[in-house]
Each structure stands twice: as structure tokens, then as C-alpha cells.
Amino acid sequence: MTENKDFTYSKAEKLKSRKIIDLLFSEGKSVSKYPLRLVYAPTVGVDEKLLFGVSVSKRNFKNAVDRNYFKRVLRECYRLNKHLLYENLDKPYAMMFFYQTKERLSYQEIHEKTLQLFEKWILTKNQQS
């Protein structure tokens, strides 16, 4: 297991496994802070403490250029704030981060919402345990 105290988003952290993604959609729980949504589920047998992926709907943004821009912004917001998640992990998790609106929010607005969403996740996780 690698402990990430730096501001990177390494290949090992990226959520790519179809099996884990299917698990997220079938058994995962979610927290939302409009327009962002975080779907998460504990994982078993994974070396990495946190697997993270981002998604932007083709329905909301027809052009790949726009989808890719928002995915880059989401990854950057995660990269800068992932220490909040790592400090509150007791077991390995897989997470998927969604941008769910047609609105084109600024980077600053998305960054603020990301912080609020991560704090909300921490609160709900602590209430469950």
C-alpha cells in the first residue's frame, strides 16, 4: 500500500477495473453536493488504499473537448484535496466522481463544491461507523 501525502494522481490510484466499477454501481453508496456526486464502496483484495475515477456525462456535454475539460478539472480538484480522503480511510475504497449538470461552472466553483463534497463524505462515513 502506498501512502500518498504528495499531490499526485498516480497510475496505481486510477480506477480502471471493470469489475470494481460494476461493484460501485451495484453496491456503492453515494453522497452529493450539487452538481457533484461521489459514489463509493469498500474494496477487498486491492493493494491501493484508494482507487479514484472521474466521469462526465455525454448527455450533458456532446463534445468530447468539453467532457475532457471537466474531467481534467475534476481530477485536479481530487489531486489537490485527496489528503482529506486519505486521512479518513480505515479500509481500501473505490470512488467515482461525477459532474452532473449542463452548467459550465468555473474551476473555483467546482473546487469549492469538491471540498464540501469530501467533507460531507467524511461526515456520512463517520456516522456509519
Side-chain angles (χ1 to χ4, degrees):
M1 271 194 249
T2 56
E3 193 63 38
N4 283 337
K5 298 224 185 296
D6 55 349
F7 293 102
T8 61
Y9 183 41
S10 68
K11 191 173 184 178
E13 279 180 85
K14 292 185 171 95
L15 175 59
K16 292 186 234 155
S17 162
R18 171 62 55 198
K19 198 187 279 185
I20 295 176
I21 292 171
D22 290 343
L23 170 95
L24 272 177
F25 287 108
S26 62
E27 299 171 24
K29 296 183 174 81
S30 77
V31 287
S32 296
K33 189 72 186 166
Y34 182 82
L36 304 176
R37 185 165 149 238
L38 187 68
V39 177
Y40 62 96
T43 55
V44 218
V46 179
D47 292 341
E48 205 56 38
K49 218 175 169 187
L50 180 62
L51 293 174
F52 202 87
V54 297
S55 177
V56 178
S57 172
K58 195 185 248 187
R59 189 187 320 152
N60 294 338
F61 296 101
K62 302 287 185 228
N63 294 334
V65 174
D66 297 329
R67 285 194 306 278
N68 292 339
Y69 168 76
F70 283 104
K71 287 195 280 188
R72 271 196 310 274
V73 170
L74 291 177
R75 280 192 292 265
E76 182 67 1
C77 290
Y78 161 72
R79 188 183 71 80
L80 294 173
N81 299 301
K82 69 179 182 178
H83 62 277
L84 297 171
L85 299 176
Y86 271 89
E87 289 163 4
N88 291 282
L89 289 178
D90 46 357
K91 55 190 169 198
Y93 273 91
M95 295 183 176
M96 193 82 160
F97 200 15
F98 295 94
Y99 186 80
Q100 298 188 301
T101 183
K102 287 184 176 173
E103 286 178 59
R104 295 167 182 269
L105 298 180
S106 69
Y107 169 80
Q108 191 58 44
E109 291 171 308
I110 295 172
H111 191 261
E112 288 168 16
K113 295 289 184 181
T114 302
L115 284 170
Q116 293 168 0
L117 180 67
F118 286 178
E119 286 165 8
K120 188 173 180 181
W121 177 78
I122 292 165
L123 286 172
T124 52
K125 193 180 102 18
N126 290 340
Q127 287 171 354
Q128 289 170 359
S129 353

